Amino acid sequence: IKKIDSNIYRIGCFDQAKDDFNKIVVTTNIGIYKSLDGGLKWDKINGNLPDKIMVTHIELSPYDSNKAVMLVGFAEIYKADINSNIWIKSKVEGEDKSAFSKYWVMFDPVNTGWFYTDQFYSSDNGALFKKMGEIGQHICCIAVDKSSKMFYAGMSDGTLYTCDPVKEDSSGGFEV
């Protein structure tokens, strides 16, 4: 195992591209790194972000593995093309950060340009995250079936919600 940087003492999270297993992103106590050769060489991709940033989740797009989305701390979402190293902060409707998940943000594997995190979703490539509706529980996990386009949301109280297919309602809200 090759060490990326001698100052790294904590790995936060990582993801590997679905279309190219040599492409990896990893978050550490001193920054975000990518490898395009399976971990032989690492490049720092913090770009316009501070070095010491607490990333709680990072994910590469299933459509374009040069695109990444990440959850920072417990309340901010950034997206980037990992080749440009410029991270863009997403807006959150209402800026109610208390409802954000502390652990995950994901690309929708069926609907290009859709993202999810806890009680929020984005249908515009992550520019704006909107509240899904009055669910009342924290969503622990989400899955979207590629063939049926059925949406599943597992809640913190053990309830499973489904929606077929994922779509916005007439008022711009999320149909669950």
Side-chain angles (χ1 to χ4, degrees):
I1 296 175
K2 182 181 176 189
K3 196 166 192 170
I4 299 172
D5 184 310
S6 62
N7 295 313
I8 294 174
Y9 60 83
R10 183 184 58 80
I11 299 293
C13 48
F14 71 95
D15 195 21
Q16 187 175 35
K18 283 50 167 183
D19 62 346
D20 179 358
F21 293 133
N22 286 313
K23 190 177 292 183
I24 306 165
V25 290
V26 63
T27 67
T28 73
N29 60 294
I30 61 168
I32 305 161
Y33 290 84
K34 74 174 178 184
S35 175
L36 302 177
D37 58 11
L40 297 175
K41 181 178 179 275
W42 292 92
D43 296 310
K44 197 170 193 176
I45 59 170
N46 275 45
N48 55 317
L49 298 173
D51 282 345
K52 296 189 179 194
I53 187 166
M54 188 174 88
V55 177
T56 52
H57 184 86
I58 192 164
E59 183 169 327
L60 293 169
S61 169
Y63 307 108
D64 180 353
S65 59
N66 291 316
K67 307 280 189 234
V69 63
M70 68 179 178
L71 185 65
V72 175
F74 302 121
E76 296 177 333
I77 299 172
Y78 288 84
K79 58 187 179 131
D81 180 314
I82 62 171
N83 294 318
S84 71
N85 299 341
I86 297 173
W87 294 87
I88 299 166
K89 184 178 177 182
S90 297
K91 292 181 181 169
V92 179
E93 188 173 74
E95 293 293 331
D96 177 11
K97 298 182 188 232
S98 64
F100 262 68
S101 167
K102 296 174 177 62
Y103 305 109
W104 60 274
V105 61
M106 69 172 268
F107 288 88
D108 185 316
V110 175
N111 300 297
T112 306
W114 283 64
F115 298 85
Y116 307 102
T117 183
D118 201 356
Q119 297 180 19
F120 292 84
Y121 76 100
S122 173
S123 60
D124 60 3
N125 282 313
L128 174 66
F129 279 78
K130 302 175 188 175
K131 193 142 172 80
M132 283 191 200
E134 298 307 316
I135 297 172
Q137 296 285 327
H138 283 285
I139 298 173
C140 298
C141 57
I142 285 181
V144 181
D145 184 288
K146 285 185 178 183
S147 59
S148 70
K149 296 186 169 70
M150 179 69 79
F151 173 89
Y152 301 91
M155 311 306 280
S156 58
D157 69 352
T159 305
L160 178 66
Y161 285 93
T162 62
C163 175
D164 180 26
V166 177
K167 60 185 173 187
E168 289 181 288
D169 63 23
S170 59
S171 66
F174 186 83
E175 288 188 9
V176 178

